[in-house]
Amino acid sequence: MSLSRAPRRRRSPSGRATLLTAVTAAGVLALASCSSSDGGGSSGNSGGNYVTGKGGISTVERGERREAPKLDGETVDGQTLDTTTLKGKVVVLNVWGSWCPPCRGEAPYFAQVSKELADAGKDVAFVGINTRDNSRQNAGAFEESYGITYPSLYDPDGKLMLRFPKGTLNPQAIPSTIVLDKEGRIAARTLVAINDVQLRSMIDPLLAEQ
């Protein structure tokens, strides 16, 4: 006497393809950043005169750069800061959140490079933009844990990110890093976590500009 087997269910080719696409997309988003911003701005400047190079770092030629917006307010430690007072220096803006794993991954490199440049007497200012943290305590604990000594504007609602004009290299993800030249113009941007070598590759050419 033979027992009949229930027919084995087979996933259709289209079903397998849909599942694979969904899994792949989710993995890419998880690796790329914690989240996109609410700004919905363009990925480049209005004329498209930027170049995205190795490692996802976009740069703008000197004559095509646009003015960065004024970023001001209270810092995580309760001080006040206005980025327009930093003209004359290369300014590194890093958007981060204590809840964001890629932010935690890149934080030691930012601490290292900011200290190296300060010790060398270079005209570079680092400013963090802490976003979507519900309390200053969490943000402060993050800074202490990773040895971050430069100030971070406290921006829980992401309003400062929205000040970047559409059509500029603006922050669209967390983390994002934007580097301004000595005239306060947007010169470089990346929308993923970076290491010390990549960070220096964004800063050093601007320091060399006369």
Side-chain angles (χ1 to χ4, degrees):
M1 181 179 177
S2 62
L3 297 174
S4 60
R5 287 186 177 179
R8 188 176 177 183
R9 295 181 64 185
R10 298 181 63 187
R11 190 183 299 275
S12 69
S14 61
R16 287 197 300 270
T18 301
L19 177 62
L20 180 60
T21 300
V23 171
T24 302
V28 169
L29 286 173
L31 289 172
S33 63
C34 292
S35 70
S36 61
S37 77
D38 298 325
S42 168
S43 62
N45 62 19
S46 57
N49 297 317
Y50 68 95
V51 176
T52 301
K54 204 170 182 181
I57 296 173
S58 300
T59 57
V60 185
E61 288 294 332
R62 191 169 187 174
E64 302 292 339
R65 296 171 190 163
R66 293 178 59 182
E67 190 83 9
K70 177 179 180 177
L71 303 172
D72 63 331
E74 284 197 4
T75 61
V76 168
D77 61 0
Q79 304 298 311
T80 58
L81 176 64
D82 180 348
T83 56
T84 60
T85 66
L86 300 174
K87 282 188 179 181
K89 296 182 178 183
V90 173
V91 178
V92 180
L93 303 170
N94 179 241
V95 181
W96 63 277
S98 65
W99 46 268
C100 166
C103 301
R104 294 194 287 269
E106 70 176 6
Y109 299 117
F110 278 79
Q112 171 193 331
V113 174
S114 63
K115 185 177 186 304
E116 289 173 351
L117 292 171
D119 290 346
K122 300 295 185 181
D123 287 330
V124 182
F126 280 70
V127 176
I129 302 175
N130 171 251
T131 190
R132 298 184 186 174
D133 263 313
N134 293 327
S135 73
R136 295 176 192 263
Q137 287 76 14
N138 290 344
F142 178 99
E143 292 180 329
E144 184 176 354
S145 176
Y146 291 102
I148 302 296
T149 56
Y150 53 83
S152 285
L153 289 163
Y154 183 59
D155 184 33
D157 299 322
K159 292 180 179 177
L160 292 178
M161 297 169 70
L162 298 178
R163 291 187 185 180
F164 284 81
K166 290 184 178 181
T168 64
L169 288 178
N170 49 45
Q172 297 177 12
I174 305 167
S176 290
T177 299
I178 292 176
V179 184
L180 313 182
D181 64 18
K182 295 175 184 178
E183 297 177 50
R185 301 175 305 174
I186 302 169
R189 180 196 66 178
T190 182
L191 300 176
V192 296
I194 54 176
N195 60 28
D196 56 328
V197 175
Q198 293 166 312
L199 182 54
R200 289 297 296 256
S201 76
M202 298 173 74
I203 298 169
D204 290 345
L206 300 177
L207 279 175
E209 290 181 352
Q210 300 299 323

